Amino acid sequence: MSTGIPSFTGDASPFGGGDPYADYRTAEFPFTQYADLADRRLGAGVIAANDEFFAERENLLKPEAAEFDPEHFGHKGKIMDGWETRRRRGVSAAEPHPTAEDHDWALVRLGAPGVIRGIVVDTAHFRGNYPQAVSVEATSVAGSPSPEDLLADDVKWTTLVPRTAIGGHAANGFAVDVEQRFTHLRVNQHPDGGIARLRVYGEVAPDPAWLDVLGTFDLAALENGGQVEDASDRFYSPATNTIQPGRSRKMDDGWETRRRRDKGNDWIRYSLVAESAIRAVEIDTAYLKGNSAGWAALSVAAEGSEDWTEILPRTRLQPDTNHRFVLDAPAVGSRVRIDIYPDGGISRLRLFGSLTEAGAARLTARHQELGG
């Protein structure tokens, strides 16, 4: 169930020209350090909606902020960068209004199953056409279910956000404290309207059986349960980019720090999926040319320990290059730190290996705790 954090109710002012985000309302949410489980780069998708008359459901998961062009109209009306349904009506002239139960819905497949820590329902640029209220439910269904499978009577849905009034042209945030693994969401808007973006922040909870079959895999990858614990600098782009799927496609798809004016260095600390044996490393500086890190070093530590052991000494990096290193012996640990010198950035870090026996056992136990 969601818990109370700052919310934004009531009407937003009509757009008065100028910067369309000038009066946009948001807050510091306590969960945005987690990965967005509904990120398209992880494979998330909006697989169905009961109505998308004015604007397509797929817009909900666009990674960039919503855009607004006040003069952009199409055959069906104003073009909005979000998911927007038609206005609901009652059943007759005597009953012209929708009932309290009438609502629109969209089904969202998470890019990676996980434990949800917070949800943001963003109504950017929806000022007179946002929903009166929203609610969000979640379920866990194995495999690749169709919309019909998810809407079947035997599927159990858990309420994450109860029906709650929201504000227009605002980031409406909801902290979630349900300790369970979910694969899909049902986003409801009451009774109708538009939502610009949906963000679902949480921790990836991978399937231990799948990782066991793979044997060797990327132990730090977001989709496999790796996480960024902390980073020295996130000025230009987030450190989580370094463990996203695939190779970087542009400069801001990696991690880049501001220019240092001291004698220090920048770093990222990661939690691996579980205790693991690392055998090979990739450090990619794709698209970072005049701003790639000059050198990098890697260290490993046990869970909860600050006793770091260097596994890759300080090594020269080349711009816009994927660097591969085979370790002389497997490096065992649950945490990894990359230090770059003196500043700059990398686009991806890949740590290839397998779970230790203890790591596999712990991951399986956690999976069972979460209802997997």
Side-chain angles (χ1 to χ4, degrees):
M1 190 72 71
S2 67
T3 57
I5 55 178
S7 61
F8 309 94
T9 56
D11 289 329
S13 299
F15 178 58
D19 178 6
Y21 273 105
D23 58 342
Y24 176 73
R25 293 170 290 171
T26 187
E28 292 292 330
F29 300 124
F31 44 72
T32 54
Q33 76 273 20
Y34 295 103
D36 181 4
L37 303 180
D39 193 324
R40 281 290 299 171
R41 290 174 293 180
L42 283 176
V46 187
I47 62 175
N50 72 306
D51 187 289
E52 47 186 331
F53 185 85
F54 286 114
E56 298 83 1
R57 64 183 190 261
E58 289 84 0
N59 291 335
L60 279 174
L61 305 187
K62 284 183 178 178
E64 63 275 359
E67 298 181 349
F68 181 72
D69 180 349
E71 298 181 359
H72 194 190
F73 288 84
H75 293 294
K76 293 182 179 180
K78 180 72 185 70
I79 304 296
M80 295 296 291
D81 186 10
W83 167 50
E84 186 182 5
T85 66
R86 74 193 79 199
R87 300 187 188 215
R88 280 186 169 269
R89 297 294 186 243
V91 295
S92 67
E95 299 180 25
H97 302 101
T99 69
E101 290 72 35
D102 287 342
H103 67 276
D104 293 320
W105 53 263
L107 297 177
V108 176
R109 179 189 64 243
L110 298 179
V115 181
I116 298 168
R117 302 301 184 192
I119 295 172
V120 174
V121 177
D122 191 341
T123 56
H125 314 304
F126 287 90
R127 296 170 181 268
N129 50 351
Y130 62 93
Q132 181 185 38
V134 298
S135 60
V136 181
E137 302 160 280
T139 190
S140 183
V141 178
S144 304
S146 68
E148 292 74 22
D149 294 332
L150 292 169
L151 295 172
D153 292 338
D154 61 345
V155 174
K156 177 185 176 183
W157 291 89
T158 299
T159 298
L160 302 185
V161 179
R163 183 168 175 167
T164 305
I166 62 169
H169 195 46
N172 300 272
F174 306 92
V176 176
D177 60 1
V178 180
E179 201 70 15
Q180 189 174 335
R181 180 182 186 265
F182 295 112
T183 61
H184 294 78
L185 298 185
R186 183 161 62 191
V187 181
N188 306 302
Q189 46 180 343
H190 307 268
D192 54 36
I195 299 169
R197 296 289 188 268
L198 176 73
R199 305 293 185 235
V200 183
Y201 296 99
E203 302 172 56
V204 175
D207 181 355
W210 175 250
L211 297 183
D212 182 58
V213 169
L214 293 181
T216 296
F217 57 91
D218 183 357
L219 303 159
L222 191 61
E223 60 192 311
N224 293 331
Q227 297 181 57
V228 168
E229 291 182 356
D230 200 1
S232 60
D233 187 289
R234 299 178 176 87
F235 189 83
Y236 286 112
S237 45
T240 304
N241 281 353
T242 61
I243 54 175
Q244 288 281 3
R247 295 199 69 191
S248 174
R249 297 185 178 183
K250 52 193 176 79
M251 191 173 73
D252 67 351
D253 193 21
W255 172 60
E256 183 189 357
T257 71
R258 75 191 82 194
R259 300 188 187 210
R260 276 192 171 266
R261 302 308 187 198
D262 58 23
K263 299 300 182 182
N265 74 284
D266 289 315
W267 49 266
I268 306 175
R269 290 199 306 265
Y270 302 89
S271 291
L272 305 182
V273 56
E275 185 184 76
S276 308
I278 306 166
R279 299 184 180 85
V281 174
E282 285 188 1
I283 302 174
D284 196 351
T285 58
Y287 292 95
L288 294 159
K289 298 182 178 181
N291 50 357
S292 65
W295 292 263
L298 278 176
S299 302
V300 66
E303 183 175 356
S305 172
E306 294 298 331
D307 184 13
W308 295 95
T309 300
E310 189 175 74
I311 61 174
L312 181 70
R314 194 178 303 187
T315 302
R316 189 74 168 98
L317 299 182
Q318 300 300 318
D320 195 27
T321 300
N322 192 25
H323 310 75
R324 290 179 170 173
F325 307 95
V326 176
L327 302 184
D328 294 334
V332 176
S334 301
R335 307 173 69 211
V336 166
R337 188 184 74 218
I338 185 167
D339 288 278
I340 63 170
Y341 300 88
D343 55 22
I346 62 172
S347 62
R348 295 290 188 271
L349 175 68
R350 305 297 187 206
L351 303 172
F352 296 104
S354 55
L355 298 177
T356 64
E357 185 175 340
R362 180 160 186 174
L363 189 66
T364 298
R366 174 65 170 158
H367 188 67
Q368 292 171 348
E369 289 173 5
L370 298 174

